[in-house]
Amino acid sequence: GAGVSQSPSNKVTEKGKDVELRCDPISGHTALYWYRQSLGQGLEFLIYFQGNSAPDKSGLPSDRFSAERTGGSVSTLTIQRTQQEDSAVYLCASSLRSASTDTQYFGPGTRLTVL
Amino acid sequence: EDQVTQSPEALRLQEGESSSLNCSYTVSGLRGLFWYRQDPGKGPEFLFTLYSAGEEKEKERLKATLTKKESFLHITAPKPEDSATYLCAVQDRDNFNKFYFGSGTKLNVKP
């Protein structure tokens, strides 16, 4: 079946511009996560959705970052007034979140470059 | 503080030379430990989930084991196509929302 998809795969933007990153989770997966991966670093948690609600936003680095999820499916991560330190790969993962497993399945990521 | 530490950071093996990767963790309670493989320019690909000490999972040349403080990913007779970065993650039993990832071990298998 279809896996997690993300778009765009690459985004180059100028400092100060806003960007939107999209994630389409696996159909039926109720949990959705956003992570950021910088070169040579581990995955940094950003935000978690259960359905359309975001009970854990603790990883968002600043108020320039926001995310929403609609219809319990597609999610959009928005970064306003981008800075060079926002350059990274943004990964989305989804999970069935059942009683027996919380395994996350990842998308291919969006590579964001802020000039 | 670091919740998950992976070692070594990088590992170079000859084809057929077996070895192990280590993932040690310090979360107070473990709900699950996850191993992923990540190829350059791609998202992490799920390999295994382990839930309790003593549990083992196998897939082709890979075998994952779990103790109360660490997990090992054993690679038997590796091939060049096993070259990738291997990531370990732990899920906190007291907060299911929290997954802590290590920085990974970059494996390079030479033919």
Side-chain angles (χ1 to χ4, degrees):
Chain A
V4 178
S5 61
Q6 292 186 246
S7 62
S9 55
N10 281 284
K11 178 71 175 179
V12 180
T13 190
E14 294 180 349
K15 178 181 174 181
K17 300 283 190 181
D18 298 351
V19 296
E20 285 190 353
L21 312 180
R22 176 187 168 107
C23 172
D24 280 275
I26 293 172
S27 177
H29 279 195
T30 57
L32 186 148
Y33 306 80
W34 283 98
Y35 292 90
R36 180 166 69 174
Q37 187 175 36
S38 302
L39 191 63
Q41 302 295 314
L43 273 68
E44 175 189 3
F45 168 79
L46 297 178
I47 188 170
Y48 155 70
F49 286 93
Q50 182 62 36
N52 291 335
S53 300
D56 191 346
K57 305 179 183 178
S58 62
L60 295 178
S62 76
D63 58 8
R64 296 186 295 105
F65 287 72
S66 63
E68 65 175 12
R69 189 180 184 193
T70 56
S73 181
V74 172
S75 177
T76 302
L77 177 68
T78 301
I79 309 173
Q80 295 179 312
R81 305 181 303 281
T82 52
Q83 304 294 311
Q84 289 183 333
E85 59 262 29
D86 298 334
S87 296
V89 175
Y90 289 81
L91 291 163
C92 172
S94 70
S95 167
L96 187 58
R97 207 60 195 272
S98 72
S100 60
T101 180
D102 291 330
T103 300
Q104 297 177 73
Y105 296 89
F106 284 84
T110 293
R111 180 174 298 277
L112 175 65
T113 303
V114 182
L115 301 176
Chain B
E1 71 280 355
D2 289 335
Q3 306 281 353
V4 180
T5 303
Q6 290 189 247
S7 61
E9 291 185 8
L11 181 63
R12 298 181 67 175
L13 299 173
Q14 287 296 128
E15 184 172 3
E17 179 186 3
S18 301
S19 188
S20 296
L21 313 182
N22 178 263
C23 170
S24 62
Y25 59 92
T26 58
V27 293
S28 57
L30 180 73
R31 170 164 169 80
L33 185 141
F34 307 84
W35 281 99
Y36 291 87
R37 168 193 171 126
Q38 187 173 26
D39 292 296
K42 297 189 176 181
E45 174 190 348
F46 170 70
L47 293 174
F48 304 109
T49 305
L50 301 167
Y51 289 105
S52 57
E55 189 175 0
E56 298 182 351
K57 294 271 180 78
E58 282 189 73
K59 179 181 179 180
E60 296 181 353
R61 295 176 294 282
L62 300 176
K63 178 180 177 180
T65 61
L66 180 64
T67 71
K68 288 188 177 180
K69 290 297 182 185
E70 59 190 348
S71 176
F72 292 93
L73 185 65
H74 307 278
I75 304 177
T76 302
K79 298 182 178 182
E81 53 261 42
D82 294 322
S83 297
T85 295
Y86 290 85
L87 298 172
C88 167
V90 300
Q91 184 182 18
D92 192 335
R93 182 186 62 199
D94 297 324
N95 186 347
F96 285 12
N97 304 335
K98 292 295 187 184
F99 291 79
Y100 301 97
F101 280 81
S103 298
T105 293
K106 186 173 183 178
L107 175 66
N108 186 5
V109 182
K110 294 288 192 180

